[in-house]
Amino acid sequence: MSELKTTTSNTWTNAQAFALAAVSLLLGVSGGWLLRRFTVAALPAQVASLSPQSTPVSAPAQPVPANFGAANELPSVQDLKQAADSQAAPLLEQLKADPNNAGLLAKVGNIYYDAKQYPAAITYYEHSLKSQPADTSVRTDLGTAYWYSGDADTAIAHFNKALSYEPTKPDTLFNLGIVKWQGKKDAQGALAAWQKLLDSNPGYQNKDQVLQLMAQVQAQNR
């Protein structure tokens, strides 16, 4: 679930934050509701389509407008990339002195993930994991980025790897269920992942939404 989310740090301008939120909304509706670390939003009441986004959301090539929220204009993919490049620049400078710093690499990956620049996010996440292969949050984000890039098999492989380190990690189990269901048409595999999530995390904050998804999958496979 890329949950209607935008993890925007203070270095984003208001216009860029509005832009990312709007594109996140579009990708959330059509691109699959995967969970990412830190912020978890509630699932929509009805999830109609959870397949990965295959084509980028585009808009007329123009700078992100200062009155974006009022004008209801969407930025182009290039606008988002430029905004991400700008935010990542200070971290990339730090990486020149410490190129294998797993934390910095993951932060850069997060910036590109939030801007829907998934190939760049994947590159930085993978580099981060070379130094810290047991970081289950980064590995889950990596799997999610692969899913949004259209690669369900690699996404599942990374989710399973994360679970080998942290078998009951709720966000990873949630995402594994989504990708098994929508990416592999494996309803039973999806239900098993979600049931394990609920059994091992009884206080999970999105429990009701997971139960809704389970009911939806069961209804489709009667």
Side-chain angles (χ1 to χ4, degrees):
M1 164 171 102
S2 177
E3 25 113 5
L4 282 190
K5 157 218 163 292
T6 299
T7 304
T8 53
S9 73
N10 291 334
T11 54
W12 290 111
T13 66
N14 287 338
Q16 290 164 350
F18 275 123
L20 286 170
V23 174
S24 294
L25 174 61
L26 289 175
L27 289 178
V29 170
S30 61
W33 293 83
L34 295 194
L35 289 174
R36 215 181 138 242
R37 71 168 81 179
F38 304 132
T39 305
V40 179
L43 289 165
Q46 297 294 327
V47 182
S49 173
L50 301 175
S51 57
Q53 183 75 15
S54 58
T55 56
V57 176
S58 60
Q62 58 186 8
V64 179
N67 63 341
F68 171 81
N72 198 31
E73 297 180 57
L74 286 175
S76 69
V77 172
Q78 186 61 31
D79 290 332
L80 292 175
K81 181 181 183 301
Q82 289 174 353
D85 288 343
S86 177
Q87 191 188 16
L91 298 179
L92 294 174
E93 281 297 314
Q94 295 178 51
L95 281 169
K96 289 180 180 179
D98 190 7
N100 295 316
N101 186 307
L104 284 175
L105 289 162
K107 287 179 180 179
V108 176
N110 290 342
I111 289 169
Y112 284 107
Y113 182 108
D114 290 340
K116 314 305 174 188
Q117 305 298 307
Y118 297 116
I122 287 168
T123 296
Y124 287 103
Y125 286 151
E126 288 183 335
H127 195 171
S128 175
L129 287 166
K130 288 180 182 178
S131 298
Q132 293 186 359
D135 189 322
T136 57
S137 291
V138 173
R139 195 169 292 280
T140 297
D141 290 349
L142 174 60
T144 304
Y146 269 112
W147 167 244
Y148 284 128
S149 298
D151 189 344
D153 289 333
T154 303
I156 289 172
H158 282 292
F159 294 150
N160 284 333
K161 183 68 172 179
L163 292 169
S164 73
Y165 293 110
E166 191 175 349
T168 61
K169 187 174 180 66
D171 293 355
T172 310
L173 288 167
F174 181 93
N175 290 357
L176 178 63
I178 291 290
V179 178
K180 283 197 170 186
W181 175 30
Q182 288 295 314
K184 304 302 291 184
K185 308 304 179 187
D186 180 5
Q188 293 307 310
L191 291 170
W194 291 332
Q195 189 62 57
K196 183 177 179 180
L197 185 166
L198 296 177
D199 289 345
S200 57
N201 298 274
Y204 185 57
Q205 62 182 328
N206 284 327
K207 177 179 179 179
D208 290 345
Q209 288 82 2
V210 173
L211 290 171
Q212 289 175 20
L213 281 174
M214 293 178 72
Q216 183 177 344
V217 172
Q218 290 165 339
Q220 290 176 353
N221 289 275
R222 284 175 181 162

